[in-house]
Amino acid sequence: MLISVAVDERSPRGAVSEHLEGSKYLLIVETESKEVVRVLNCKGQDADMKCAQAAIDAGCEAIICGDIGRRAYDLLADNMISRYYGWGADASQAVSLMQDNRLQLIREARDGGHCHGKEHWAELQRCIETLDKKQ
């Protein structure tokens, strides 16, 4: 299965972007091998729409990112791409957490503020600590 991860740098250790619209790169990851099979540049104006369209064009089943604005959210939802909230983790951690069903689904677009509050942040940090102990 292919998934995409919106990140700030071209690396599996790159931080998941806080907002999809501020993403610089989109990693396309094969989940079985956890291998990055492609890196796409999403920098600039309409980065959120570039990332959303790239995930669709690559045949991804999901995207891991931070907050999503309305237009990109609707594009992803209309194309049946699952949206997971991974801000606070790096790309490789986020992929592992998604596979363990430990990332929250993004069920609505951001209309100001963050989609998920401090409770999510604290839970994600606990999940990352547990993941680090396993490895």
Side-chain angles (χ1 to χ4, degrees):
M1 171 171 82
L2 293 176
I3 63 163
S4 53
V5 186
V7 293
D8 295 332
E9 58 187 67
R10 298 177 59 101
S11 164
R13 290 290 177 200
V16 174
S17 299
E18 181 176 1
H19 302 281
L20 187 59
E21 65 195 354
S23 300
K24 295 179 182 166
Y25 302 98
L26 191 70
L27 305 180
I28 307 298
V29 179
E30 169 50 60
T31 56
E32 276 189 41
S33 64
K34 293 187 183 176
E35 181 180 334
V36 175
V37 295
R38 207 162 44 198
V39 179
L40 304 166
N41 184 340
C42 293
K43 295 180 200 174
Q45 188 175 4
D46 290 329
D48 57 342
M49 294 301 287
K50 289 178 191 174
C51 284
Q53 190 61 56
I56 293 162
D57 293 345
C60 294
E61 294 184 33
I63 187 169
I64 299 172
C65 55
D67 293 323
I68 306 173
R70 171 62 54 200
R71 287 178 47 227
Y73 179 91
D74 289 345
L75 180 61
L76 291 163
D78 289 347
N79 284 276
M80 299 169 49
I81 307 286
S82 299
R83 300 145 320 270
Y84 292 95
Y85 193 78
W87 180 56
D90 70 33
S92 62
Q93 291 169 331
V95 170
S96 294
L97 291 170
M98 186 204 76
Q99 290 179 304
D100 289 343
N101 295 316
R102 300 196 71 182
L103 290 183
Q104 289 183 355
L105 280 171
I106 299 174
R107 298 182 190 277
E108 58 187 53
R110 174 185 45 81
D111 293 323
H114 282 284
C115 298
H116 303 279
K118 292 179 184 177
E119 303 81 24
H120 169 72
W121 179 263
E123 176 62 23
L124 183 62
Q125 295 309 307
R126 284 192 294 276
C127 290
I128 290 169
E129 289 171 11
T130 302
L131 183 65
D132 288 343
K133 287 177 187 176
K134 283 184 182 179
Q135 296 174 349

